[in-house]
Amino acid sequence: MATSKHDVSSSRGGYNDAPGEAAFPQPSHALSHKLNSVLSFSFADAEIREALRTLDERDFRNSPETRRWLRLDTQKEIIDCNGDIIKDFGLVAERLRRIGSTVASLNQYCEDIRQHVQNAHRETGPIMEEASTLFSQKQEVDIKEELLNAFNQHFVMSDEEDESLTSLSTAVDDRFFILLYRLKRIHADCQALLGTENQQLGLDLMGKSLRSLDSAFQKLSMWIQRELKNLNLENPQISSSIRQSLRVLAERPTLFQSCLNFFAEAREHNLSESFYGALTGSSQSQTDDLTTKPIEYYTHYSLRFVGDMLAWTHSAAVSEREALEVLFISEGDEMAKGIQAGIESEPWSREYSEAFDGQKSLEQLINRDLTGVARTLRQRVEQVVQTDEDPVLAFKIANLIDFYCMTFRRLLGSESYVLETLASLQQAALRKYRTTMQDRVNSINPDSIHAPTSLDIPEFLDEALGQLKELMRSYDSSLAAAMSRGKEFLPILRTALDPFLERCERIAKELEEPSKSIFTINCLLAAKLTISPYEFTSDRVVEIDDTTEEYALKLVEYQHAYFLHTSGLHPLVAALAPLSDSEQDIKYIPRLEPFQVESLSDTSQVLDDFLPSALMDAGENLKRLKNSTMSEDITAEAANRFCEDFEFIEGKLVAADRLHGDLDIEQENREPDSVKETVALRTLFPRTSGEIRVLLS
């Protein structure tokens, strides 16, 4: 904008300097048009701004001379620039000509090389084809070589490896099991070869591997038997190598069972010798063991002797279980898999068709190990049972054997030879108990034994109750089920108590009442006192209570009869018993013999003499009854019955007196002058029922 003003002022000054023009000339139309065109330019145009900037850079002075030379200078610069460009394009054209010649030379060289290559291809073509064929053949040979190496590595075992598997001179170690596993895999993979066109190779390899497997398992079986033979049987902890061998051998059930049979026989022989040594202090191999005390020499009590033998047997069974549990329980799944695989490989092994049960196999093996011990135990226990005539000892032995039966049942299962042996020994002990008890009962002759004067229990019953107490104490310490203890002990009571009570009843038959009932009750109470502390005899206690109650009722009847006869009331009761409460029977009472004046007066006097010492006199009848409370209860019940009889007599007398009093009044009304001759029965018999109850309370 400043430049524009400068240009305008310069132009204006120029006009003033021009000669012959006025000081203030009027602008022409062209100048006005030019000014308008200049002023109409927009400085927002980029070209205008660029032109102005160029003028500023050239340090342009707005003068006529510079304006005159501006176009010429500009054109000259343009011409110079165009000349420089032309010169540069000449150099470019020269270089392009050089490049063109170079490219032409290269094209010629390439063409020559192409010709040489084509000639070389024509000459080397047959050679390359032959080399390619040879290379393909080499690749096929390499592939076949790799297949052969892989086949030999997988399906073929070296002579050294085969010798390690089958030779008895080599050890059974980890390498043996690795080779055996590889051989089994070879045998299994041979089935894939049977699916090919040429099956002969698969058949040959399968036959060879099968023969090697059989030899390897035979070697393993012989090695296991040798190791088991040299095993420390006093502490039969089976090593990991033997356990692994047995797991592997389980794939051949026949060989596996053979090894177990061998082990069982060895253990049976060793345990039998150990048991014999524990009994006598020396084994059958004539070697003495001074570190242990012989059971036979240091255990003089028969029950202790049997208990020590059973305890030794139980300890041996526990040791066997702990030693073999690792094999059959911890590794039972592996053996089950091996036996299943063996059944598939040996279809003829029908006896192993059932699923392998480690727990059952363990129990069977321990049972076989203890067979010899069980036979020796049977002989010694039977000898003890047969030589001792004490029934209590026989029962204690049976009870002890029953305890070990439950223990061995949990340890060896319900199907065990040891358990069968113990069961038969228990039955033998119980038979001995019953036999000796029956002999003692038969030795008691009730015809030659009389009841003591004191009516106390006889000596044989006292001894029998002492034995019964020992039997119950022994049975109470057993592990019999609480729900069935009463039923299980009932046969013992029938043999240890009932026969002796029957003998007491036969002795009591020779006595008269009340001695008969008192003696029987004393025996029953002694038996009840003996068996009542134990819950398993509760049913028998109830039976004894019922029987005792029956005899107590007999004593009540006896005491009641004593009261009636001693008091003189028996004739009165006997005379009134047939009569009813009818007026005719009541009217007939004064005519009865016991109710005559003299008889009734005597009866009243006898009653008065009886009452002061009635209870003391009645108590003397039961003084030999050992239970004083029962004696008092029996006498009290008899006295109560006596009071009821007296009330019955009193009621009849009152009714008779009332009836005769009414008749006398009627007679007096009809015959005023007649004389009254009857006497009131209550006058002759003045005692009242209240007085009787007070005196007998």
Side-chain angles (χ1 to χ4, degrees):
M1 185 66 69
T3 307
S4 299
K5 290 180 179 181
H6 176 71
D7 292 338
V8 172
S9 59
S10 300
S11 301
R12 189 176 295 174
Y15 289 132
N16 292 334
D17 296 335
E21 291 184 0
F24 298 96
Q26 294 295 327
S28 64
H29 180 74
L31 181 60
S32 177
H33 178 72
K34 187 176 183 180
L35 288 173
N36 289 332
S37 64
V38 170
L39 293 175
S40 64
F41 282 119
S42 176
F43 290 98
D45 189 3
E47 294 181 358
I48 297 299
R49 289 199 307 271
E50 185 65 26
L52 293 176
R53 187 181 298 111
T54 302
L55 290 177
D56 289 341
E57 291 176 356
R58 290 177 174 272
D59 195 16
F60 179 75
R61 304 291 182 182
N62 189 8
S63 63
E65 185 177 359
T66 55
R67 286 196 300 269
R68 189 181 307 118
W69 289 99
L70 176 61
R71 181 182 295 273
L72 296 176
D73 293 339
T74 302
Q75 291 177 353
K76 182 178 183 299
E77 290 178 2
I78 292 172
I79 292 171
D80 292 339
C81 288
N82 291 336
D84 294 337
I85 291 172
I86 292 172
K87 185 183 294 184
D88 292 337
F89 270 105
L91 295 175
V92 171
E94 181 64 26
R95 292 181 180 179
L96 288 176
R97 283 192 297 271
R98 293 178 181 177
I99 291 172
S101 61
T102 302
V103 169
S105 300
L106 290 175
N107 288 334
Q108 184 64 36
Y109 291 150
C110 289
E111 183 66 23
D112 295 340
I113 292 172
R114 186 180 298 109
Q115 291 296 328
H116 288 296
V117 170
Q118 290 177 356
N119 296 331
H121 282 173
R122 285 193 298 270
E123 295 175 358
T124 60
I127 298 174
M128 293 298 294
E129 291 178 0
E130 184 179 359
S132 177
T133 303
L134 293 176
F135 184 74
S136 300
Q137 293 176 356
K138 181 179 181 303
Q139 287 182 338
E140 292 178 0
V141 171
D142 291 340
I143 292 173
K144 291 180 180 180
E145 183 180 4
E146 291 179 359
L147 290 176
L148 180 61
N149 292 334
F151 181 85
N152 291 333
Q153 184 177 1
H154 187 79
F155 287 97
V156 179
M157 300 186 69
S158 64
D159 295 339
E160 180 185 359
E161 292 174 341
D162 190 66
E163 184 179 2
S164 298
L165 275 175
T166 59
S167 177
L168 298 178
S169 60
T170 58
V172 175
D173 50 10
D174 293 339
R175 184 170 181 270
F176 172 84
F177 293 108
I178 294 174
L179 294 176
L180 181 62
Y181 174 75
R182 181 188 171 192
L183 184 60
K184 290 191 294 184
R185 189 178 60 181
I186 291 173
H187 181 73
D189 293 343
C190 284
Q191 297 179 0
L193 298 177
L194 298 179
T196 60
E197 295 180 358
N198 186 8
Q199 298 181 355
Q200 187 62 38
L201 178 60
L203 293 174
D204 294 342
L205 288 176
M206 183 171 287
K208 181 180 178 181
S209 62
L210 184 59
R211 290 190 297 271
S212 299
L213 279 175
D214 292 339
S215 300
F217 278 112
Q218 288 288 346
K219 172 186 175 180
L220 184 61
S221 174
M222 297 177 64
W223 181 84
I224 291 175
Q225 292 184 13
R226 186 167 61 251
E227 290 296 319
L228 291 177
K229 183 178 181 180
N230 299 328
L231 187 66
N232 181 14
L233 297 179
E234 292 298 330
N235 185 22
Q237 298 295 331
I238 298 180
S239 62
S240 58
S241 59
I242 298 179
R243 294 200 304 269
Q244 183 181 8
S245 301
L246 287 174
R247 287 198 307 269
V248 174
L249 194 64
E251 298 179 12
R252 292 293 187 270
T254 304
L255 297 176
F256 178 75
Q257 188 61 39
S258 175
C259 288
L260 291 184
N261 294 338
F262 178 83
F263 179 76
E265 292 174 1
R267 288 302 298 153
E268 179 185 356
H269 176 72
N270 182 265
L271 288 176
S272 299
E273 280 199 353
S274 299
F275 187 51
Y276 182 81
L279 290 175
T280 62
S282 62
S283 64
Q284 296 178 357
S285 57
Q286 304 299 327
T287 58
D288 296 338
D289 186 6
L290 301 178
T291 60
T292 59
K293 296 181 179 180
I295 297 176
E296 288 185 345
Y297 299 155
Y298 290 92
T299 307
H300 304 290
Y301 184 44
S302 300
L303 182 62
R304 174 69 181 278
F305 176 62
V306 175
D308 287 350
M309 289 192 295
L310 291 173
W312 191 96
T313 305
H314 177 259
S315 176
V318 171
S319 299
E320 290 292 304
R321 186 179 184 86
E322 290 177 351
L324 302 176
E325 207 167 31
V326 177
L327 177 64
F328 287 92
I329 302 302
S330 301
E331 303 179 3
D333 295 339
E334 297 295 331
M335 284 196 173
K337 295 177 182 178
I339 290 179
Q340 184 61 34
I343 294 174
E344 295 175 358
S345 63
E346 296 181 2
W348 55 87
S349 301
R350 298 299 182 186
E351 56 181 317
Y352 307 103
S353 58
E354 297 182 358
F356 178 78
D357 187 352
Q359 182 70 31
K360 184 177 180 180
S361 299
L362 173 63
E363 293 173 354
Q364 291 176 352
L365 184 58
I366 298 175
N367 180 50
R368 292 182 58 186
D369 295 347
L370 296 174
T371 302
V373 175
R375 287 195 296 266
T376 305
L377 180 67
R378 178 196 292 271
Q379 297 174 359
R380 299 305 176 97
V381 175
E382 286 180 348
Q383 182 180 3
V384 171
V385 171
Q386 296 300 327
T387 56
D388 204 309
E389 298 298 328
D390 185 6
V392 176
L393 177 61
F395 178 79
K396 287 183 177 180
I397 292 176
N399 198 27
L400 179 63
I401 294 175
D402 182 68
F403 165 76
Y404 277 98
C405 281
M406 290 184 287
T407 303
F408 278 103
R409 186 176 292 109
R410 291 192 295 267
L411 187 64
L412 303 178
S414 57
E415 298 179 359
S416 169
Y417 179 76
V418 177
L419 198 61
E420 294 177 0
T421 301
L422 294 180
S424 63
L425 290 176
Q426 183 184 14
Q427 295 300 321
L430 290 176
R431 285 195 302 270
K432 182 64 175 180
Y433 158 76
R434 288 189 291 267
T435 302
T436 53
M437 190 63 71
Q438 187 62 38
D439 292 341
R440 294 201 175 190
V441 173
N442 295 334
S443 64
I444 302 172
N445 186 5
D447 298 333
S448 61
I449 299 177
H450 302 283
T453 306
S454 62
L455 299 182
D456 201 351
I457 62 174
E459 183 178 355
F460 69 85
L461 180 60
D462 188 24
E463 181 181 353
L465 292 178
Q467 292 179 349
L468 180 59
K469 187 179 296 183
E470 291 293 328
L471 297 178
M472 291 186 297
R473 186 182 296 113
S474 175
Y475 186 77
D476 186 54
S477 62
S478 66
L479 299 179
M483 299 299 295
S484 60
R485 298 186 79 182
K487 294 181 180 179
E488 292 180 358
F489 194 73
L490 185 59
I492 305 302
L493 287 176
R494 289 174 179 171
T495 56
L497 179 61
D498 292 351
F500 298 97
L501 292 179
E502 292 174 1
R503 294 296 189 274
C504 293
E505 290 178 359
R506 292 177 59 180
I507 294 174
K509 290 180 181 179
E510 301 177 358
L511 303 176
E512 300 293 336
E513 292 293 350
S515 298
K516 177 181 178 180
S517 297
I518 291 174
F519 176 73
T520 306
I521 290 176
N522 286 338
C523 296
L524 292 174
L525 291 179
K528 176 185 176 181
L529 182 64
T530 301
I531 67 175
S532 58
Y534 303 96
E535 293 183 0
F536 52 84
T537 59
S538 57
D539 295 340
R540 193 69 177 89
V541 171
V542 173
E543 295 179 6
I544 292 178
D545 287 339
D546 295 339
T547 307
T548 304
E549 186 65 24
E550 295 176 3
Y551 284 99
L553 290 176
K554 293 181 181 180
L555 291 179
V556 171
E557 294 174 358
Y558 176 83
Q559 289 289 76
H560 179 217
Y562 172 78
F563 279 123
L564 291 177
H565 286 85
T566 307
S567 64
L569 298 185
H570 183 265
L572 303 182
V573 174
L576 294 175
L579 302 180
S580 64
D581 294 335
S582 63
E583 182 178 345
Q584 184 66 27
D585 289 342
I586 297 299
K587 185 187 300 184
Y588 184 71
I589 290 176
R591 300 178 185 178
L592 297 174
E593 179 63 27
F595 292 93
Q596 299 301 313
V597 176
E598 184 177 357
S599 298
L600 191 57
S601 298
D602 293 340
T603 301
S604 178
Q605 184 61 42
V606 172
L607 178 61
D608 291 339
D609 295 338
F610 164 75
L611 289 175
S613 61
L615 291 178
M616 295 180 61
D617 295 340
E620 286 295 320
N621 297 331
L622 305 180
K623 65 180 181 179
R624 290 177 293 180
L625 185 62
K626 300 305 177 183
N627 192 330
S628 59
T629 302
M630 180 180 290
S631 175
E632 294 174 358
D633 293 341
I634 291 173
T635 303
E637 179 63 24
N640 184 55
R641 293 187 181 184
F642 176 77
C643 293
E644 292 175 357
D645 292 340
F646 187 86
E647 290 175 356
F648 172 72
I649 295 172
E650 182 183 19
K652 295 292 185 180
L653 294 179
V654 171
D657 287 342
R658 184 182 299 112
L659 181 59
H660 282 283
D662 294 339
L663 293 176
D664 291 341
I665 293 174
E666 292 178 1
Q667 183 178 2
E668 184 178 355
N669 291 333
R670 288 195 305 269
E671 301 176 2
D673 296 333
S674 63
V675 181
K676 182 180 179 182
E677 297 179 354
T678 59
V679 181
L681 297 178
R682 292 296 293 163
T683 304
L684 300 175
F685 199 79
R687 288 285 185 180
T688 63
S689 58
E691 294 174 350
I692 297 299
R693 288 191 177 277
V694 170
L695 292 173
L696 295 181
S697 63

